[in-house]
Amino acid sequence: MSAAGAAELPLFPLQTVLYPGGRLPLRIFEQRYLEMAKACLRDGTPFGVCLIREGREVGEAALPEDVGCTARIVEWDMPQLGLLQVVAHGERRFRIRSRRVQRDGLALAEVEMLAEASDAPLDAQADLCARVLRRIIEAAPAGLVQAPPHFDSAAWVSARLAELLPLSLASKQRLLEMDEPRDRLEILRRLISSSGQ
């Protein structure tokens, strides 16, 4: 896959929104996704995770949102035949240019990798977001987020908060589509402030 420009990715549409740096545990049992995961593990290649716009996770190919995030399998286990448990790590945002569905139901998409805005340290106002995120992570079971934490990074804090706060999937998708981490952080700061955190 090229650093910029077009690439072809197998798609895994889900009822979740993955961000760069995010940790995504999956239980894979459908044949099309088992084959996809085996190929990704064999070739060291990523797959694309997109929020489902229409359809369901199981059965016919679902219609995905246009913007998603590449995911690379970093851990895997097969506790029983036909069930693959993996942990994937979110890498880069992409936009779907075109999409086709194979006979086995697996969707392949030509995607354009989206440029990431330069990261920035948190300013004094955004420090509220880092404090709330730290509380969430400290209260959660180990392994909720990929170590080590980066509480001084606007991109990391905004992505982890967007993943972990109880927001609608549509809101999480809109936040993923934002190019500037500081803008995402400001929206999250306002949400936290209005909720009295």
Side-chain angles (χ1 to χ4, degrees):
M1 182 178 339
S2 59
E8 187 172 72
L9 279 177
L11 294 183
F12 201 151
L14 294 168
Q15 289 291 349
T16 193
V17 179
L18 179 65
Y19 290 80
R23 186 177 185 277
L24 179 66
L26 292 169
R27 288 167 53 90
I28 302 173
F29 53 87
E30 278 193 88
Q31 193 60 39
R32 58 183 162 171
Y33 296 126
L34 286 169
E35 293 300 322
M36 177 202 77
K38 284 196 310 196
C40 288
L41 282 165
R42 181 187 66 233
D43 302 333
T45 54
F47 59 93
V49 173
C50 293
L51 176 65
I52 293 173
R53 185 188 304 166
E54 290 176 25
R56 299 180 322 184
E57 289 183 356
V58 178
E60 287 187 30
L63 182 65
E65 292 286 351
D66 290 336
V67 174
C69 183
T70 61
R72 193 173 300 270
I73 297 171
V74 292
E75 297 172 31
W76 68 275
D77 184 32
M78 188 171 272
Q80 63 189 66
L81 197 61
L83 175 64
L84 183 63
Q85 294 182 327
V86 305
V87 175
H89 184 252
E91 292 187 334
R92 291 194 59 188
R93 295 179 314 137
F94 63 83
R95 182 179 304 279
I96 295 174
R97 287 183 173 172
S98 64
R99 178 178 157 273
R100 64 186 172 88
V101 179
Q102 296 182 153
R103 288 176 63 181
D104 65 359
L106 181 68
L108 297 174
E110 183 184 320
V111 302
E112 172 190 1
M113 292 298 153
L114 298 177
E116 295 300 328
S118 56
D119 199 2
L122 271 63
D123 60 26
Q125 282 192 310
D127 189 55
L128 168 67
C129 293
R131 291 198 313 271
V132 168
L133 179 60
R134 194 182 293 272
R135 286 205 310 262
I136 292 170
I137 292 171
E138 286 172 355
L144 180 68
V145 299
Q146 195 85 18
H150 300 282
F151 291 112
D152 56 347
S153 158
W156 192 86
V157 169
S158 66
R160 299 298 74 76
L161 270 179
E163 287 169 349
L164 298 173
L165 286 177
L167 306 172
S168 70
L169 288 173
S171 296
K172 289 175 187 273
Q173 180 67 27
R174 282 195 299 273
L175 289 165
L176 175 69
E177 292 174 7
M178 295 179 74
D179 292 327
E180 185 55 62
R182 284 172 291 203
D183 294 342
R184 188 186 302 138
L185 207 53
E186 177 56 21
I187 289 171
L188 292 165
R189 187 191 66 77
R190 286 187 210 150
L191 284 169
I192 291 168
S193 296
S194 66
S195 71
Q197 291 285 328

